[in-house]
């Protein structure tokens, strides 16, 4: 395998991992005020992401860093073309991080309300804007970006609601299931609209490259399965289905972007030199197993359901 192909696949993996893991973080951040009644339940909801949200953001840093090192022209073109939405994404992530860190340190209810507002807005902005940015990469026009943004936002809500149902008990779990069913009513039609358009940039040659179509169809099937499993109360399998849907959406996106991630720019033209890619490969082979192992261990340690504290 050529190093340019390898590093395109690595970047696709990092972006997809970010969307799978941060997707439920964003969803929980938006849903916490809606599924909780009282401070004890609010803490219960936010505690589901407390140990992992900052580690999940490492995937974004790794994806952007890998783009900068392996494909500097792609990195520069993407950030230049979408400067404003990406700045808003960063602002949202900063506000959300501040809200999550400060919420456990303030004592007045009004201060906690401001933190909750920051967490909600800081979760909604990236959830919507990343979908809009990647949709705009494939299609011109505000409508495509809007559809992509609505899809990614509603998918994060569904993913986060299923995660809350999986990780909590009591009333929060019951409300999270109802929220997941409500989100399904939006994400299913939005998913059909967005995913049916993902492979269209290569529609003339779909028979030669069926992967975008296959991944998009599988993502829609996983979405439907997630909604059905939520209705049946199978929280673990429902979370697997929503995570699979996000992963398959990422696969459809990046197989469509290959081999020209930006208009008029191929992967070969955007890539760094062979020496740089070779050094990156050795660094990745050494560092990536440790990162994956540490994050897997973190999820294993904090795998239990959480109960509400007395208000």
């Amino acid at each position: 395998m050529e190093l340019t192909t390898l590093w395109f696949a690595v970047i696709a993996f990092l972006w997809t991992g970010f969307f799978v893991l941060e997707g439920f973080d964003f969803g929980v951040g938006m849903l916490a005020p809606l599924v909780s009644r009282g401070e004890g339940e609010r803490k219960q909801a936010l505690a589901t992401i407390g140990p992992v949200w900052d580690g999940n953001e490492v995937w974004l840093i790794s994806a952007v860093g890998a783009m900068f090192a392996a494909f500097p022209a792609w990195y520069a073109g993407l950030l230049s073309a979408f400067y404003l939405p990406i700045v808003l994404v960063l602002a949202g992530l900063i506000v959300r991080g501040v809200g999550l860190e400060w919420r456990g340190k303030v004592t007045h209810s009004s201060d906690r309300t401001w933190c909750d507002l920051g967490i909600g807005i800081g979760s909604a902005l990236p959830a919507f804007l990343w979908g809009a940015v990647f949709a705009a990469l494939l299609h011109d026009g505000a409508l495509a970006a809007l559809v992509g943004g609505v899809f990614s936002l509603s998918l994060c809500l569904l993913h986060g609601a299923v995660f809350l149902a999986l990780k909590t008990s009591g009333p929060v779990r019951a409300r999270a299931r109802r929220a997941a069913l409500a989100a399904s009513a939006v994400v299913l039609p939005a998913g059909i609209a967005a995913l049916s358009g993902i492979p269209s940039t290569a529609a003339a040659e779909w028979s030669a490259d069926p992967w975008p179509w296959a991944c998009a169809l599988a993502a829609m099937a996983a979405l439907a399965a997630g909604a059905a499993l939520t209705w049946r109360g199978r929280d673990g399998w429902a979370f697997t289905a929503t995570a699979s849907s996000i992963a398959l959406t990422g696969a459809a996106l990046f197989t469509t972007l290959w081999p020209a991630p930006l208009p008029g720019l191929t992967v070969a033209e955007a890539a760094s030199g062979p020496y740089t890619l070779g050094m990156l490969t050795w660094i990745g082979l050494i560092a990536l197993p440790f990162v994956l192992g540490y994050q897997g261990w973190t999820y294993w340690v904090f795998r239990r359901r959480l109960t509400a504290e007395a208000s």
Side-chain angles (χ1 to χ4, degrees):
M1 179 186 293
E2 294 183 358
L3 289 180
T4 53
T5 305
L6 172 65
W7 275 98
F8 185 87
V10 169
I11 289 169
F13 170 75
L14 292 172
W15 274 109
T16 302
F18 167 72
F19 291 132
V20 170
L21 296 175
E22 276 287 73
F24 67 74
D25 280 355
F26 294 151
V28 171
M30 291 183 281
L31 288 169
L34 303 177
V35 301
S36 55
R37 306 289 185 270
E39 181 60 19
E41 291 183 357
R42 187 71 53 86
K43 288 181 178 180
Q44 179 191 13
L46 291 175
T48 61
I49 62 172
V52 298
W53 69 267
D54 47 356
N56 292 342
E57 288 188 356
V58 172
W59 287 76
L60 175 62
I61 297 169
S62 301
V64 174
M67 286 179 66
F68 173 77
F71 300 101
W74 183 17
Y75 167 89
L78 179 67
L79 268 66
S80 298
F82 301 102
Y83 180 80
L84 179 58
I86 290 176
V87 168
L88 291 175
V89 165
L90 295 176
L93 292 174
I94 291 169
V95 169
R96 184 184 71 134
V98 171
L100 287 167
E101 289 293 337
W102 281 9
R103 198 184 191 286
K105 299 176 174 62
V106 296
T107 55
H108 297 291
S109 60
S110 59
D111 294 332
R112 288 195 293 268
T113 300
W114 281 109
C115 289
D116 290 338
L117 183 64
I119 294 168
I121 294 174
S123 299
L125 271 177
F128 177 85
L129 289 172
W130 278 130
V133 165
F134 280 101
L137 272 179
L138 302 180
H139 308 283
D140 294 327
L143 181 59
L146 178 62
V147 170
V150 170
F151 172 55
S152 62
L153 178 66
S154 56
L155 183 53
C156 287
L157 284 168
L158 174 60
H159 196 39
V162 172
F163 182 76
L164 275 171
L166 178 65
K167 290 287 292 179
T168 59
S169 59
V172 170
R173 184 184 184 191
R175 295 187 199 109
R177 282 179 173 170
R178 291 196 291 270
L181 293 174
S184 299
V186 178
V187 74
L188 288 172
I192 292 171
L195 291 171
S196 62
I198 278 184
S200 66
T201 54
E205 47 193 334
W206 71 271
S207 58
D209 185 15
W211 287 109
W213 293 90
C215 292
L217 288 172
M220 285 188 273
L223 261 184
L229 289 163
T230 298
W231 182 75
R232 294 188 61 186
R234 305 294 296 274
D235 300 328
W237 285 110
F239 181 76
T240 301
T242 56
S244 298
S245 179
I246 296 174
L248 288 163
T249 300
L253 170 67
F254 284 99
T255 52
T256 302
L257 289 175
W258 173 267
L262 290 175
L265 181 70
T266 66
V267 169
E269 294 168 340
S272 297
Y275 177 79
T276 301
L277 293 178
M279 289 297 297
L280 287 174
T281 302
W282 283 109
I283 293 171
L285 286 173
I286 295 171
L288 192 59
F290 288 99
V291 174
L292 294 176
Y294 173 77
Q295 193 155 34
W297 175 81
T298 302
Y299 277 94
W300 175 256
V301 169
F302 296 101
R303 67 189 182 277
R304 299 185 183 279
R305 288 187 185 271
L306 301 176
T307 57
E309 300 177 9
S311 299

